[in-house]
Amino acid sequence: MDLGLKDRVVLITGGGRGIGRSTALAFAAEGAHVAVLDTDSDAAEAVMQEVRATGLRGVAQRCDITSAEDVGCAIGSVMEQFGRVDVLVNNAGISRDATLLKMKESDWDLVMDVNLKGTFHVTRAVLQQMKDRRWGRVINIGSRSMFGNFGQTSYTASKMAIVGFTRSLSLEQARNGITVNTVAPGFIETEGIKSHVNYPSLREVAIGKNPVGFLGAPEDIANTVAYLASEQARYITGTTVFVTGGRFSS
């Protein structure tokens, strides 16, 4: 399907690997130009080489999204290159899992700073120019974990907060031609997940709990994000799209 994304400018946080990388390549396949922010500049540049190989423009910027100053500098460079951002994908996120009594305050703060404050910083940095042009797409990557997982109070809280952020921002910007949605992945077989020391047992348990009987790939998330960025999805805003294979409980 031609999603009508040709020559759109797409900004993806955490775009150096996993879901972010697949999302960048999905947009490039639709003819969109891509900018990637990531703390790993080498990974971001590797993705940009793949994007540029398609003949499209791609920009990689090292950026710590927990810093408003860092975000401002990175977005300034993107705007200098492209002149606008049409689609923002807030994909960057981390977890620091532990039961609450064993959780360090510094780990709680880090999860909130990256997953929630980072989304605030980057969204605010691009929102005004979307409003001025009366068109934009903000797509936040949440998680099925918003319903709760053992040992993930910080991660769960941050992802549930993203849903509230999405709903409120969608109401603020609906009349400005800007849609705001969340995509909530289930268990996705990224390279990061596959490198986990307990991956074989985690995979077996996850498949056993998944109604469709198999696990998702990064491309499953990327394709959903690309659709929500399209004009075909113009009437969808303030919602959470679950891409979980039907699994909701932990």
Side-chain angles (χ1 to χ4, degrees):
M1 178 188 295
D2 181 2
L3 294 176
L5 295 169
K6 181 176 173 56
D7 292 328
R8 291 291 189 190
V9 177
V10 182
L11 174 65
I12 304 167
T13 67
R17 55 176 54 84
I19 290 171
R21 172 183 173 274
S22 291
T23 300
L25 297 180
F27 277 108
E30 292 290 332
H33 307 292
V34 180
V36 162
L37 307 186
D38 203 292
T39 55
D40 187 337
S41 54
D42 290 339
E45 185 56 41
V47 174
M48 286 303 97
Q49 290 178 8
E50 293 183 85
V51 170
R52 293 175 192 133
T54 67
L56 296 161
R57 288 187 293 162
V59 173
Q61 289 285 330
R62 188 194 179 283
C63 181
D64 174 6
I65 63 171
T66 69
S67 164
E69 182 178 0
D70 221 30
V71 168
C73 290
I75 298 301
S77 296
V78 172
M79 293 296 291
E80 186 176 326
Q81 290 284 332
F82 294 113
R84 70 185 194 279
V85 173
D86 298 307
V87 179
L88 168 62
V89 183
N90 284 308
N91 168 71
I94 63 166
S95 63
R96 293 290 184 271
D97 296 348
T99 57
L100 191 66
L101 291 176
K102 295 180 179 179
M103 187 175 294
K104 297 177 182 177
E105 184 178 353
S106 59
D107 284 342
W108 172 279
D109 289 343
L110 182 60
V111 169
M112 293 300 171
D113 282 349
V114 174
N115 297 0
L116 190 54
K117 186 181 286 185
T119 295
F120 162 77
H121 283 322
V122 181
T123 304
R124 191 166 68 161
V126 304
L127 192 61
Q128 184 63 53
Q129 53 87 40
M130 288 181 178
K131 182 179 178 182
D132 290 343
R133 291 183 291 105
R134 301 192 63 77
W135 200 95
R137 300 286 187 265
V138 178
I139 302 161
N140 302 313
I141 303 302
S143 174
R144 183 203 57 80
S145 297
M146 63 184 274
F147 294 120
N149 276 338
F150 184 91
Q152 285 197 316
T153 53
S154 58
Y155 186 72
T156 292
S158 72
K159 292 302 184 179
M160 184 62 87
I162 288 295
V163 172
F165 177 91
T166 294
R167 289 180 177 176
S168 291
L169 186 62
S170 71
L171 296 175
E172 293 178 11
Q173 298 302 325
R175 293 188 180 277
N176 297 317
I178 300 168
T179 66
V180 188
N181 291 291
T182 294
V183 174
F187 194 110
I188 303 299
E189 292 194 284
T190 63
E191 291 304 313
I193 290 293
K194 290 178 180 178
S195 68
H196 194 286
V197 63
N198 295 322
Y199 172 68
S201 60
L202 290 173
R203 185 177 190 276
E204 183 178 355
V205 170
I207 290 176
K209 291 183 175 181
N210 199 312
V212 300
F214 61 90
L215 301 180
E219 292 77 14
D220 294 312
I221 309 305
N223 293 336
T224 304
V225 171
Y227 171 73
L228 288 173
S230 73
E231 192 63 23
Q232 284 93 324
R234 67 177 188 170
Y235 203 54
I236 302 172
T237 194
T239 197
T240 299
V241 179
F242 292 94
V243 188
T244 67
R247 180 184 174 190
F248 291 95
S249 61
S250 63

